[in-house]
Amino acid sequence: MTADLLIRNARPFGGPVKDLLIRDGRFVAADCPRPVAEIDATGHVALPGLVEAHTHLDKTLVGMDWFENRVGPTRNDRILADRNAKRELGINARRQSARQILQTLAHGVLSIRSHVDVDTEIGIANVEGVLETREAMRDLVDVQIVAFPQSGMLPREGTLELMDAALKAGADIVGGIDPATIERDPVRHLDAIFALADRHGKPVDIHLHEPGDLGAYCLELIVERTRALSLQGQVMVSHAYCLGTLDAPRQSALIGQLAAERIAVMTVGSPSAPALPLRLMRQCGLTVASGSDGIQGTWEPFGNGDMLERAKYLAQRNGMTNDVDLEESARICTFGGAEGIGLGGYGLSEGCFGDLVLVPARTLAEAVALTPHRRTVIRRGRVVVNGGELAGDLPAIE
Amino acid sequence: MTADLLIRNARPFGGPVKDLLIRDGRFVAADCPRPVAEIDATGHVALPGLVEAHTHLDKTLVGMDWFENRVGPTRNDRILADRNAKRELGINARRQSARQILQTLAHGVLSIRSHVDVDTEIGIANVEGVLETREAMRDLVDVQIVAFPQSGMLPREGTLELMDAALKAGADIVGGIDPATIERDPVRHLDAIFALADRHGKPVDIHLHEPGDLGAYCLELIVERTRALSLQGQVMVSHAYCLGTLDAPRQSALIGQLAAERIAVMTVGSPSAPALPLRLMRQCGLTVASGSDGIQGTWEPFGNGDMLERAKYLAQRNGMTNDVDLEESARICTFGGAEGIGLGGYGLSEGCFGDLVLVPARTLAEAVALTPHRRTVIRRGRVVVNGGELAGDLPAIE
């Protein structure tokens, strides 16, 4: 366990300046007399660790040769290109996940939920690779692994059994994928993944790109199964674009149903996909998390994994410019993410884990709007990033 | 005039590695024997100077106290807040324009078209302020000034006369604003600004947020007046959101009419406004430019004025992930902007002005996707930014 650390003059979540003390890896009252190491935060905004609630650690090309993207426009084009790339580019899930983790650690990302491909070509090799990285990086970041049938489950026989094997090997969450447009049988797909989750006692996280009324129908099926299996607080729907395109009464009703079953929604705020009604979702008490999705991969060349920049994108996608709205965007990328992926001991209060990110900004809204990069990141009382630079004693990437 | 400068191992617009020579402020053949100063670009991508085709230099709050944004959601709320802020915050147009220019110079922005407010409260003071800055910064950046009736022209008597005075004082372009929703009389507004442009022999640039069919109607009125006054190549429409929401036949027809009169369109690719059909616009031969719009002001807290990042936003808003599409986005923020605002001597060919930006990327698509920040910027053969740092001999901001 690291020594005590006192952070002077920080603004927790943009509030009034105060001192924060971390002892034995957790925040404690800052009035204790024991001598401690000190950092002067000089009034910077202190956030709890940023939460990456949806990415694909096993597929980033960070640090590899430039991938010339000539992939076609459909989701199936992309899935195929993605599967080919794993083979042809020799993407090493262990090494690539480590690269992304260190890159996003510099931004202050301390908790990650990653979907990891499971399919009949690679089996569970990517899950094993990310498990290795998780172990090597365990003192830096929490990683949750979703066993994710990217190439389809029902159409590719043996995938469900591989997902089962992935869970036995250490994956934490059962992944699902477009039950209608990819799986071609929403009831059978959802029945299978909920049964798998029930058998392992694991949460569920479903990629749901299905549009409009088809998406709404799939959401209803998810609600029904969450209720039947008493999985309240254990289910996340990722993307859920349909929520952005339904008419207002339908939208409200469906959001109300999701909230009632404590089903969380993850949105990346993509500029080219329907915008989710963030204000309405908040008013209805829905848990909203966010993520980068894949960064620098064959799907998209973009992305740096900075979840504070992600808060800015969420605000911009929704046309939000007020300080209050920017603060809510920051909340989605911190507390919302933590609740959505079920983190314990999260926050800046006494008793919580001693994790925080100091952002050189005068207010929380400024932190979101300008996303300054020279941040200091503390994990369990240990400074792991200082002014944007990774500490020298972190694990190397081989 | 600066000495000769040889830039070795650059990739002009992402093409094969070559050397570039600047003599007497212009690119010349790189095979001359005279000894010269040298830079090794180490294979980095060389872009011509980035073009900011639409911003508001007089209203940025860069370097000032944080503005707590509590402004209401409508355009009129924002115009009112904006006018109040000029008075209450004491925004100094001369100082603020200089701050934004130096900030964006570091990204490689070497040409700027700025709308500058003219209204019955401040008169032409902001135009005079930006004119002063333009003179002080003339060796660093080209600045075009649009006399812009932000608070409305027809509803506020005396504004047209102030715009006339602004043009006499040195403004370059006649600005227009939503002819229907703000001006309440599209024909009279457009007749007045086109007459003013005709009288002064100046181009026109119109803010057009009008939605759907109303916007299309206003575009038709603009086409008619451009044709009648033979102003082909002299008219830009900024935003033109309506182009993103018309049905396909109407969209194509209108884009064809704009292209026929060589009316350029400026889009910022806002994530919360309709996306313009960039591929179709390109196929129809329309000139497309881009801009940051206001950065860090009372309208929006966001923005850093980086026009390479803007190219990324354009691609993201259109769901473009292919290398070819990213290259086209880069073209909009360089050559498209130059054509749209009518720059002469623009480009990396022999005879063009010796302006370029070296971006540490392996391909043009990578430059757009990752927007690396440690750029080197050369203006007329002089290094004004080195690895992201402004040169020491630039004009100070008082």
Side-chain angles (χ1 to χ4, degrees), chain B residues 357-381:
Chain B
V357 187
L358 294 171
V359 182
R362 294 164 289 186
T363 71
L364 183 52
E366 185 181 37
V368 173
L370 304 186
T371 62
H373 281 291
R374 299 171 61 82
R375 304 175 200 163
T376 290
V377 183
I378 293 163
R379 159 90 175 175
R380 308 288 196 263

Side-chain angles (χ1 to χ4, degrees), chain A residues 93-135:
Chain A
R94 182 190 54 73
R95 181 194 64 208
Q96 291 308 111
S97 57
R99 283 182 175 162
Q100 179 170 334
I101 286 171
L102 288 186
Q103 172 164 325
T104 64
L105 181 67
H107 300 304
V109 173
L110 294 177
S111 307
I112 298 175
R113 173 176 285 192
S114 177
H115 299 257
V116 180
D117 287 4
V118 171
D119 70 41
T120 52
E121 283 193 11
I122 57 163
I124 67 165
N126 278 20
V127 169
E128 291 168 338
V130 177
L131 280 166
E132 260 192 81
T133 295
R134 169 162 80 181
E135 183 56 27

Side-chain angles (χ1 to χ4, degrees), chain B residues 285-339:
Chain B
L286 197 67
T287 300
V288 183
S290 188
S292 307
D293 211 341
I295 73 168
Q296 299 174 41
T298 64
W299 287 74
E300 284 215 332
F302 313 112
N304 59 19
D306 178 3
M307 289 303 300
L308 186 58
E309 188 174 287
R310 184 61 51 185
K312 180 177 77 169
Y313 291 158
L314 291 175
Q316 290 181 314
R317 183 69 182 98
N318 276 261
M320 295 169 165
T321 51
N322 262 275
D323 282 38
V324 168
D325 285 326
L326 300 194
E327 289 161 13
E328 283 302 321
S329 288
R331 198 173 292 278
I332 290 171
C333 297
T334 51
F335 293 97
E339 191 176 327

